């Protein structure tokens, strides 16, 4: 059931219903708590708490949010924060929704349509890369994580969440359905996730799982101590 990168791009370029439903749910935290618990057995509060990390960056820091979806992570940036925020996604529909959300929040983000495994940015361009609920949709998460690590500055942080296998038969069966539909690419288990991060040369790898959702962070070596 492994799909090519081009096949995944075609699928998400034209997909409408699943992204719209997902975006509506995650924009309403109480609904997301219920949906996350029922669907994946997850307590999503850790994900919402992690959004705030972008707001703790120093003035002028650069953030890459990919895939940004409808802009749910924007809520972590306080009004007036002086950040260079790049929001990227493969789906034109989600980028339109993200632009609208940024407008409502007064966030002067730059929006880019792209594939995660081909980031059009130079090395060491960002202080923080966030990738929430996207890795499991990709056909080659290893390459995607390597690209995100490439564009991080030394000392920069990669943080995000992803659906993982191995959390139980019910969850693995649901993942199989999403893969059959083409919504999921090649999700791995927690060990795989750690391996993707380490293979990209990242350090201080931290992975925790709640239900079938893993939260992770890692640091690009070489920053100031």
């Amino acid at each position: 059931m492994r799909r090519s990168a081009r096949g995944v791009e075609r699928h998400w370029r034209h997909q409408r219903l699943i992204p719209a439903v997902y975006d509506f749910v995650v924009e309403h935290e109480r609904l997301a708590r219920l949906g996350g618990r029922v669907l994946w057995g997850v307590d999503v509060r850790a994900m919402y708490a992690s959004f705030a990390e972008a707001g703790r960056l120093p003035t002028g820091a650069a953030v890459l949010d990919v895939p940004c979806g409808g802009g749910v992570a924007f809520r972590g940036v306080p009004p007036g924060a002086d950040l260079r925020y790049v929001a990227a996604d493969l789906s034109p529909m989600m980028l339109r929704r993200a632009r609208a959300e940024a407008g409502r929040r007064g966030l002067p983000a730059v929006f880019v349509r792209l594939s995660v495994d081909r980031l059009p940015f130079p090395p060491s361009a960002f202080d923080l890369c966030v990738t929430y609920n996207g890795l499991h949709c990709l056909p080659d998460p290893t390459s995607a994580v390597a690209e995100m690590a490439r564009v991080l500055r030394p000392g920069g942080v990669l943080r995000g969440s992803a659906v993982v296998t191995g959390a139980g038969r019910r969850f693995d069966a649901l993942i199989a359905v999403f893969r059959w539909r083409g919504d999921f690419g090649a999700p791995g288990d927690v060990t795989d996730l750690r391996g993707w991060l380490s293979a990209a040369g990242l350090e201080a790898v931290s992975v925790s799982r709640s239900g079938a959702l893993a939260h992770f962070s890692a640091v690009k070596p070489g920053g100031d101590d």
Side-chain angles (χ1 to χ4, degrees):
M1 287 188 292
R2 186 182 180 88
R3 291 193 172 213
S4 67
R6 186 168 298 177
V8 170
E9 289 184 14
R10 284 197 301 266
H11 178 81
W12 285 108
R13 186 181 302 122
H14 300 294
Q15 178 64 262
R16 295 292 184 271
L17 180 60
I18 294 295
V21 171
Y22 165 79
D23 191 45
F24 178 81
V25 171
V26 297
E27 282 295 337
H28 298 82
E29 186 172 347
R30 290 184 180 179
L31 186 57
R33 289 184 187 183
L34 175 61
R37 181 65 66 187
V38 171
L39 199 62
W40 299 113
V42 61
D43 183 348
V44 299
R45 286 178 293 183
M47 183 182 75
Y48 284 87
S50 72
F51 295 159
E53 294 300 321
R56 300 187 180 104
L57 291 170
T59 297
V63 180
L64 174 62
D65 182 351
V66 58
C68 66
V72 65
F74 297 170
R75 66 182 58 204
V77 182
D82 185 6
L83 298 176
R84 292 185 291 118
Y85 200 107
V86 177
D89 204 287
L90 185 63
S91 166
M93 184 189 77
M94 297 307 274
L95 284 174
R96 288 194 297 270
R97 297 174 75 104
R99 284 192 183 96
E101 180 66 16
R104 286 190 289 269
R105 294 182 176 275
L107 176 64
V110 174
F111 296 90
V112 184
R113 184 174 173 271
L114 51 73
S115 177
V116 183
D117 60 356
R118 298 189 303 277
L119 297 178
F121 307 113
S124 303
F126 297 96
D127 300 283
L128 172 67
C129 179
V130 295
T131 178
Y132 292 105
N133 303 338
L135 287 182
H136 51 265
C137 297
L138 305 177
D140 189 357
T142 303
S143 296
V145 172
E147 270 292 273
M148 288 185 275
R150 179 184 67 80
V151 301
L152 276 177
R153 292 172 178 162
V157 176
L158 172 61
R159 177 178 290 108
S161 58
V163 173
V164 291
T165 59
R169 291 182 181 179
R170 177 171 71 87
F171 303 127
D172 284 348
L174 185 57
I175 289 170
V177 171
F178 278 116
R179 293 191 69 189
W180 174 78
R181 281 179 40 84
D183 300 311
F184 283 12
D189 59 21
V190 167
T191 300
D192 294 321
L193 178 55
R194 288 195 181 97
W196 302 334
L197 296 166
S198 297
L202 300 175
E203 299 178 345
V205 173
S206 173
V207 179
S208 61
R209 182 176 61 80
S210 173
L213 189 71
H215 305 279
F216 59 88
S217 67
V219 179
K220 187 168 183 175
D224 296 333
D225 292 332

